[in-house]
Amino acid sequence: MSRALPKYNKRRVAMIGGVSAVVLSGALIAGSALAGETPENGAQATTKAAAGTISCPEVASRLPAIPASAQAEVDRNLALLTTQIDEANKRLNETVGQGGPNFVQNAILGPLEDKRIATLNRIETAIGRAAEKPEGLEAFATCTLDAGAGAGAGEGAEAGEDDTATAEPEAPATEEAGGAEDAGDAAGGNTAAGAIACPDVASQLPAIPASAQAEVDRNLALLDTQIDEANKRLNETVGQGGPNFVQNAILGPLASKRTAAIDRIAISIGRTAEKPQGLDALAACTLNE
């Protein structure tokens, strides 16, 4: 028995050593897996970090002397410019991690620029009623995204991403919900090209003064161009995006552009005749699939 004990002890040592090796290997594998997850989680944190801030050119200091009769209207529109920026920044924060590489431009910055153009046009018109009308204020309409460690920087780095790929980080939450939301995404995204339909504006206009005819015609033609461009984008993005892609990236920006063009029509008529009211109700378009 004295000779059998060493053999037993040797086998015991070998078994313990083998188990330890397995445990150590498992720890190394787990450690490697966690190490592999860290960059992914880090990348996700970068993508879904703070959105940054929208920065727009200051307008008030660029204005000429404002006639007393125009002061209230100018002040009202300057305040509206500030409100528009606040709303855009709110939307920016609410949509962190959504959309593709062009989401911020298409769904936030583009519509904001269109709204600012319409507001700046109203400021020009208000001043022009009692003094020389300032020209070129539209140059201050374009805003930019000052992205810190934000979503804009994360999306920009993924140059090859499309809207579908960017939306993929949300898939685990969808799967946990039993797949119901996933079906909603597929149904609500740009699943079929269809066609965009917009209310006709020309037939809703009053008599157009001769002095305004050229400008009205130019903006009516622009409305047609905007619809053509939106339909082109609709066809180019079939299969992309989530449930609100068409509304956020196509129909929403189109409504903002149409509002600006329709406002210019109303203003041009109002210079020499009664300004038509309520034309903004014709700005919203729908998707006929």
Side-chain angles (χ1 to χ4, degrees):
M1 290 181 63
S2 61
R3 275 184 263 173
L5 283 172
K7 290 182 182 179
Y8 170 77
N9 288 335
K10 286 179 182 178
R11 286 196 301 272
R12 188 179 179 194
V13 169
M15 289 174 63
I16 293 172
V19 171
S20 299
V22 170
V23 172
L24 181 58
S25 299
L28 289 173
I29 291 170
S32 299
L34 290 174
E37 287 177 2
T38 303
E40 181 182 344
N41 291 339
Q44 186 175 8
T46 301
T47 301
K48 295 193 174 184
T53 305
I54 291 172
S55 175
C56 302
E58 199 267 337
V59 174
S61 63
R62 272 62 180 246
L63 299 179
I66 302 171
S69 60
Q71 189 69 58
E73 187 172 355
V74 170
D75 288 345
R76 185 165 58 251
N77 281 286
L78 288 174
L80 181 58
L81 289 173
T82 302
T83 300
Q84 290 165 352
I85 297 172
D86 291 342
E87 291 173 347
N89 273 310
K90 180 182 178 184
R91 173 146 175 71
L92 187 70
N93 285 309
E94 289 174 346
T95 56
V96 171
Q98 294 184 19
N102 298 317
F103 177 83
V104 172
Q105 179 59 45
N106 290 337
I108 301 177
L109 291 180
L112 174 60
E113 180 177 352
D114 293 329
K115 291 177 183 177
R116 283 173 62 83
I117 288 173
T119 306
L120 292 168
N121 284 338
R122 288 194 292 270
I123 291 174
E124 290 179 343
T125 301
I127 295 173
R129 290 193 187 102
E132 183 179 357
K133 180 182 176 182
E135 301 291 346
L137 292 184
E138 291 90 345
F140 306 120
T142 303
C143 303
T144 57
L145 174 63
D146 296 334
E155 289 174 4
E158 299 293 334
E161 279 186 337
D162 61 13
D163 294 316
T164 306
T166 309
E168 282 181 1
E170 298 179 3
T174 299
E175 290 171 5
E176 290 174 5
E181 290 182 14
D182 188 49
D185 280 354
N190 189 3
T191 54
I196 292 171
C198 303
D200 177 66
V201 175
S203 63
Q204 306 299 315
L205 298 179
I208 302 170
S211 59
Q213 189 69 57
E215 186 171 356
V216 170
D217 289 344
R218 182 165 59 250
N219 281 286
L220 288 175
L222 180 59
L223 290 173
D224 290 336
T225 300
Q226 291 167 351
I227 297 173
D228 291 342
E229 291 174 348
N231 273 311
K232 179 181 178 184
R233 172 145 175 75
L234 187 70
N235 286 306
E236 289 175 345
T237 57
V238 171
Q240 294 185 21
N244 298 315
F245 176 82
V246 173
Q247 179 59 45
N248 290 338
I250 301 177
L251 293 180
L254 175 59
S256 298
K257 291 177 182 178
R258 283 174 59 83
T259 298
I262 290 171
D263 280 347
R264 288 194 292 271
I265 290 173
I267 290 169
S268 64
I269 294 174
R271 290 194 186 104
T272 54
E274 184 178 355
K275 180 180 176 181
Q277 301 296 324
L279 292 181
D280 288 351
L282 306 174
C285 302
T286 56
L287 175 61
N288 293 338
E289 295 187 22

